[in-house]
Amino acid sequence: MKNLSVLALNLLIILSLAAFTRSDNKPFPVIKGSNLNEKLMTLPDDARGKFGIVAMVFSLKAETDLIPWMDPINKTIMGNIMFAANVFFVPMTGAIKGVNSDMVKKKLKESMDTSLYKYVLLYNGPTEDIIKQLHVTDREEPYFFVIDPRGKLTYTTSGKYTADKLEEITDKISE
């Protein structure tokens, strides 16, 4: 009976992980905007040739839940020469009611080191097609997408930071 309970628990964990991760190898949708240095950017084009990690938020709550990810991503991926990956933070300001991109830009510039400005893409356009293409189900959570060097979506996770989620991301960019 004990072995059956352990087996059922393991199966539940595996099914839960599968529900929160996608690996469809579909092209990542084109997202255009400007970074905090006012340079025009296009994803996935600006990530081509390397893996890309795209962190997106669709609400103020998601932005709050993204903050604990920043330091571990910076130390583990951005600050590590072992990973050939670009990291992009994308506040989807077109999806956040009552928020405009100028307000977000000002807030980010006040709170970020200038060396990170080039990694923030501000998108202020329509979001519904992107949300559908990326299978975003909860706009209150931050989403993290791994795209391969050809611009294909290879992995998705969402929610609050955990070391296990970051390890899954690093595993994907190490493949």
Side-chain angles (χ1 to χ4, degrees):
M1 186 69 168
K2 184 178 177 181
N3 287 341
L4 187 57
S5 296
V6 171
L7 180 63
L9 179 62
N10 286 337
L11 184 59
L12 180 63
I13 290 169
I14 291 168
L15 291 173
S16 296
L17 289 172
F20 291 105
T21 61
R22 295 191 63 86
S23 177
D24 23 0
N25 284 316
K26 293 181 181 177
F28 191 79
V30 174
I31 300 173
K32 295 181 179 188
S34 61
N35 67 19
L36 293 179
N37 291 327
E38 306 298 328
K39 179 184 177 221
L40 294 178
M41 295 178 65
T42 302
L43 290 176
D45 292 347
D46 284 327
R48 288 211 197 270
K50 289 184 176 184
F51 276 92
I53 300 163
V54 180
M56 284 188 184
V57 295
F58 299 88
S59 70
L60 294 174
K61 181 185 180 316
E63 181 183 342
T64 300
D65 288 345
L66 174 68
I67 293 169
W69 282 88
M70 303 293 266
D71 192 48
I73 285 175
N74 187 33
K75 288 179 179 171
T76 304
I77 299 167
M78 295 175 77
N80 188 336
I81 61 171
M82 298 299 291
F83 294 117
N86 292 310
V87 179
F88 301 94
F89 300 99
V90 185
M92 301 294 280
T93 58
I96 303 173
K97 289 184 175 28
V99 174
N100 67 42
S101 61
D102 290 335
M103 182 178 80
V104 171
K105 185 187 309 182
K106 180 180 178 192
K107 181 181 169 190
L108 289 170
K109 282 187 168 188
E110 290 171 353
S111 65
M112 292 182 84
D113 185 278
T114 57
S115 66
L116 299 175
Y117 285 11
K118 62 186 174 185
Y119 300 109
V120 178
L121 184 152
L122 294 169
Y123 177 79
N124 197 27
T127 58
E128 288 308 312
D129 285 344
I130 294 169
I131 287 169
K132 286 178 187 172
Q133 289 174 21
L134 293 174
H135 307 284
V136 171
T137 57
D138 187 349
R139 295 179 194 200
E140 299 297 310
E141 293 185 341
Y143 276 77
F144 299 85
F145 305 98
V146 176
I147 51 179
D148 71 13
R150 297 168 292 135
K152 303 271 185 179
L153 177 63
T154 62
Y155 180 76
T156 302
T157 191
S158 63
K160 293 183 181 197
Y161 171 79
T162 68
D164 288 341
K165 288 179 184 178
L166 184 58
E167 185 176 343
E168 286 289 324
I169 290 170
T170 59
D171 287 349
K172 291 297 177 185
I173 63 176
S174 298
E175 292 179 348

